[in-house]
Amino acid sequence: MEEELKDKLKEVLKDKRYLQVLQHLKKANVDYGKSIMLNTKIPIQEVVDILDKLEALGLIERVHGATLKNTEAKFKLSSEVHKHHTYYRLTREGDHLLRNLDEKELIKAYINLVKNDDLAKDILRLAEELNADHALTYAKLTHKTLEEVTPKLEELERMGLLEEAKAKIIKFGDRKSKPKKETRTHHKYYGLSRIGELVVREMKRRGIIPK
């Protein structure tokens, strides 16, 4: 992947929703805000902001013309629709970015984003060890304040490397830092996402974080 596209990919990976919208447009070919909202479950105002950002990056573009055939807008049911909305599609650059973005490239790009961020690396390493825990535990184990750790946890979650543990009760086997048999989740618990696990594994392999 050429350098300019790598820089744009870095921007895209700062928020997992950007990639969601790009991948949806790859499937839909042409689509508009409300339909993107329904398909991605991202709130409409956030969809609008994401479309603006992706358009500014040159990865999507507006579709001009009064009508669209359903061969162009694959998520439309009628054979031809009058355009009441602003429709978007991938640019050649956006399409090129997705075509080159296999799992290996995705892991490499995430590593480039976090490899110089010591706190992010510490949190990711701890997330693998703990399975799921709340901000206070991460703060204690990184010797940082809650005010420093919480925004970093949120940033890593936004990127898609961490995710919230959804279970109301986390069993002891899933949370290694606390000796109780089970604990109610009064706080938000953060653990590695699937891609986060792959990123940590590769960073360990490369010696970026200790094994």
Side-chain angles (χ1 to χ4, degrees), residues 75-204:
F75 282 62
K76 277 287 179 187
L77 297 177
S78 55
S79 60
E80 193 173 86
V81 290
H82 190 73
K83 277 176 57 184
H84 299 293
H85 314 280
T86 304
Y87 283 79
Y88 294 86
R89 67 181 165 210
L90 296 176
T91 59
R92 284 182 66 186
E93 197 172 33
D95 186 60
H96 186 55
L97 183 145
L98 287 183
R99 270 191 288 115
N100 285 279
L101 195 61
D102 58 14
E103 194 172 77
K104 192 176 171 185
E105 281 296 322
L106 188 61
I107 291 166
K108 197 192 300 181
Y110 271 124
I111 289 172
N112 285 335
L113 260 183
V114 299
K115 67 182 180 185
N116 298 317
D117 186 335
D118 289 340
L119 181 53
K121 287 187 294 185
D122 282 346
I123 287 171
L124 291 170
R125 177 180 55 78
L126 286 166
E128 188 193 40
E129 292 173 14
L130 299 169
N131 285 335
D133 222 312
H134 54 79
L136 196 56
T137 302
Y138 285 104
K140 283 176 183 171
L141 294 173
T142 55
H143 309 291
K144 301 284 184 187
T145 64
L146 206 52
E147 289 71 29
E148 288 173 283
V149 166
T150 302
K152 188 59 67 177
L153 286 165
E154 289 169 353
E155 181 187 325
L156 291 167
E157 184 187 22
R158 195 160 52 247
M159 287 166 63
L161 294 175
L162 293 181
E163 62 186 16
E164 185 180 356
K166 298 290 184 192
K168 291 289 178 228
I169 294 178
I170 294 178
K171 289 183 183 151
F172 176 55
D174 295 329
R175 185 184 174 223
K176 298 173 184 172
S177 70
K178 198 166 185 176
K180 288 182 185 173
K181 285 286 181 200
E182 58 181 37
T183 176
R184 295 237 166 230
T185 58
H186 298 302
H187 311 278
K188 184 171 179 177
Y189 281 66
Y190 297 89
L192 288 177
S193 63
R194 180 187 166 274
I195 192 69
E197 287 172 5
L198 296 175
V199 167
V200 169
R201 193 182 304 163
E202 181 61 16
M203 284 201 290
K204 283 186 168 184

